[in-house]
């Protein structure tokens, strides 16, 4: 039986930077990948890696990430929020800014033209069904997969209104199994386990809550599908004192994740299937709020 290795990238806002460090370690170790699946910010990382699956490509992705700020992705303002309420819009932000950012480094125009098999997870806004996009316009697919409810507008593709893939499946392990993967390598973003205070702003708190739900979903999915494929989970950073809304610590996250993932690989991480302990619900009460700010406005 032919081995098929799928790389699955979870969503997680600014913590998508952690995946860039993980990808650096994988590229350096030349881990073979056959197909790539991503949701939300994981879909954006997946799209770039699927077209540039080498160290040069990952270094380019790291440069892009290090140039981003929270205002690039979430240009929130009281005026904008008031205008959205006044107009009765179902979202706070237009997605033109996000479209420009993704468009600047879009690796190819269509999903099916990617170097590795690429699949983008989205969610049907009306019924909550998983909608996996394997063909079509890549920019549209990424905008749909990153369309966080209430923050960005849904994207209509093939007559369906699609939103953030993380709503239906933030870490699409089931899709990897359906696509025939026999070995699945999961790159989670982790969660802010070292933070002792919740985020203050409405959007940051909503994103933090979604992130926590997604990590619990991931733990359940690993247990559910480990009988159908060998699932290896790169351990997320722990302790982690950075929120999904904070883009001020990207360089540090990439560096830490690369070092940790390289150590994980060197210690036989791809021979030990199962759930990384850092994904389980836990906290670090010994860390003070000063040491672990949950929300930064960079």
């Amino acid at each position: 039986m032919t081995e098929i290795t799928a790389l699955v990238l979870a969503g997680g806002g600014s913590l998508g930077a952690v995946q860039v460090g993980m990808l650096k370690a994988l590229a350096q170790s030349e881990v073979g990948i056959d197909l790539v699946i991503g949701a939300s910010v994981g879909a954006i990382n997946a799209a770039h890696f699927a077209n540039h699956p080498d160290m040069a490509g990952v270094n380019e992705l790291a440069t892009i990430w290090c140039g981003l700020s929270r205002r690039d992705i979430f240009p929130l303002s009281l005026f904008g929020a008031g205008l959205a309420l006044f107009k009765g819009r179902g979202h706070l932000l237009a997605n033109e800014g996000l479209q420009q950012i993704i468009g600047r480094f879009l690796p190819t125009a269509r999903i099916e033209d990617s170097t590795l098999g690429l699949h983008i997870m989205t969610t049907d806004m009306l019924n909550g069904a998983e909608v996996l996009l394997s063909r079509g316009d890549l920019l549209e697919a990424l905008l749909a997969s990153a369309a966080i409810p209430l923050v960005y507008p849904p994207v209509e593709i093939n007559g369906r209104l699609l939103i953030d893939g993380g709503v239906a499946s933030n870490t699409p392990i089931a899709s990897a199994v359906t696509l025939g993967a026999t070995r699945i390598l999961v790159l989670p973003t982790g969660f802010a386990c070292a933070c002792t205070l919740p985020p203050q702003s409405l959007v940051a708190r909503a994103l933090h809550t979604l992130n926590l739900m997604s990590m619990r979903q991931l733990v359940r999915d690993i247990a559910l599908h480990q009988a159908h494929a060998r699932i290896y989970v790169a351990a997320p950073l722990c302790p982690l004192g950075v929120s999904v809304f904070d883009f001020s610590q990207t360089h540090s996250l990439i560096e830490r994740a690369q070092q940790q993932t390289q150590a994980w690989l060197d210690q036989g991480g791809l021979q030990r299937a199962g759930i990384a302990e850092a994904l389980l619900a836990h906290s670090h009460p010994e860390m003070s709020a000063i040491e672990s700010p949950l929300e930064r406005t960079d």
Side-chain angles (χ1 to χ4, degrees):
M1 182 177 177
T2 304
E3 178 92 305
I4 299 176
T5 299
L7 184 65
V8 178
L9 292 89
S14 64
L15 298 184
V18 172
Q19 293 173 338
V20 180
M22 293 173 170
L23 289 172
K24 278 194 168 194
L26 293 178
Q28 185 171 330
S29 298
E30 298 183 341
V31 175
I33 304 295
D34 299 299
L35 58 97
V36 190
I37 311 171
S40 198
V41 72
I44 298 173
N45 286 336
H48 196 280
F49 183 78
N51 284 275
H52 304 288
D54 52 29
M55 184 57 79
V58 180
N59 283 335
E60 179 185 1
L61 183 60
T63 299
I64 293 167
W65 265 93
C66 288
L68 296 176
S69 72
R70 195 271 300 167
R71 293 178 183 84
D72 292 324
I73 310 301
F74 302 112
L76 298 165
S77 68
L78 287 175
F79 175 78
L83 187 63
L85 291 172
F86 177 74
K87 290 187 174 182
R89 271 188 344 209
H91 54 273
L92 291 173
L93 299 173
N95 63 9
E96 282 82 0
L98 185 61
Q99 180 175 338
Q100 290 178 1
I101 292 170
I102 296 175
R104 285 205 303 265
F105 64 92
L106 199 67
T108 185
R110 297 187 63 80
I111 301 171
E112 64 269 26
D113 292 337
S114 300
T115 303
L116 301 178
L118 174 62
H119 308 272
I120 307 297
M121 177 58 68
T122 67
T123 303
D124 187 307
M125 186 179 184
L126 296 181
N127 60 24
E130 297 178 11
V131 181
L132 191 67
L133 301 176
S134 304
R135 300 183 61 83
D137 186 279
L138 179 55
L139 178 57
E140 281 190 346
L142 294 178
L143 288 175
S145 188
I148 302 167
L150 303 182
V151 178
Y152 287 119
V155 177
E156 184 174 348
I157 298 178
N158 298 327
R160 305 176 79 169
L161 286 177
L162 303 180
I163 58 173
D164 196 319
V167 174
S169 182
N170 192 60
T171 312
I173 294 174
S175 295
V177 172
T178 300
L179 290 166
T182 54
R183 183 175 75 156
I184 300 172
L185 177 53
V186 178
L187 303 188
T189 56
F191 65 99
C193 58
C195 294
T196 56
L197 294 173
Q200 298 305 304
S201 74
L202 180 65
V203 172
R205 185 165 293 194
L207 292 176
H208 174 70
T209 303
L210 286 173
N211 183 236
L212 293 178
M213 292 170 59
S214 298
M215 291 303 103
R216 303 289 72 74
Q217 179 192 81
L218 171 56
V219 171
R220 291 193 300 269
D221 285 352
I222 293 170
L224 181 64
H225 296 290
Q226 60 187 357
H228 305 102
R230 302 193 315 281
I231 302 174
Y232 304 95
V233 185
L237 297 181
C238 178
L240 181 61
V242 182
S243 84
V244 295
F245 199 58
D246 182 358
F247 286 81
S248 69
Q249 302 185 52
T250 297
H251 180 75
S252 171
L253 292 177
I254 293 174
E255 226 175 39
R256 285 180 60 197
Q258 180 180 4
Q259 293 171 0
Q260 179 171 290
T261 305
Q262 190 60 59
W264 176 75
L265 289 169
D266 293 342
Q267 294 164 13
L270 288 180
Q271 283 74 52
R272 297 192 303 272
I275 300 171
E277 289 187 8
L279 288 175
L280 302 176
H282 68 280
S283 59
H284 300 271
E286 71 279 3
M287 298 188 70
S288 71
I290 295 177
E291 294 171 321
S292 54
L294 187 52
E295 186 171 3
R296 295 276 294 274
T297 57
D298 59 303

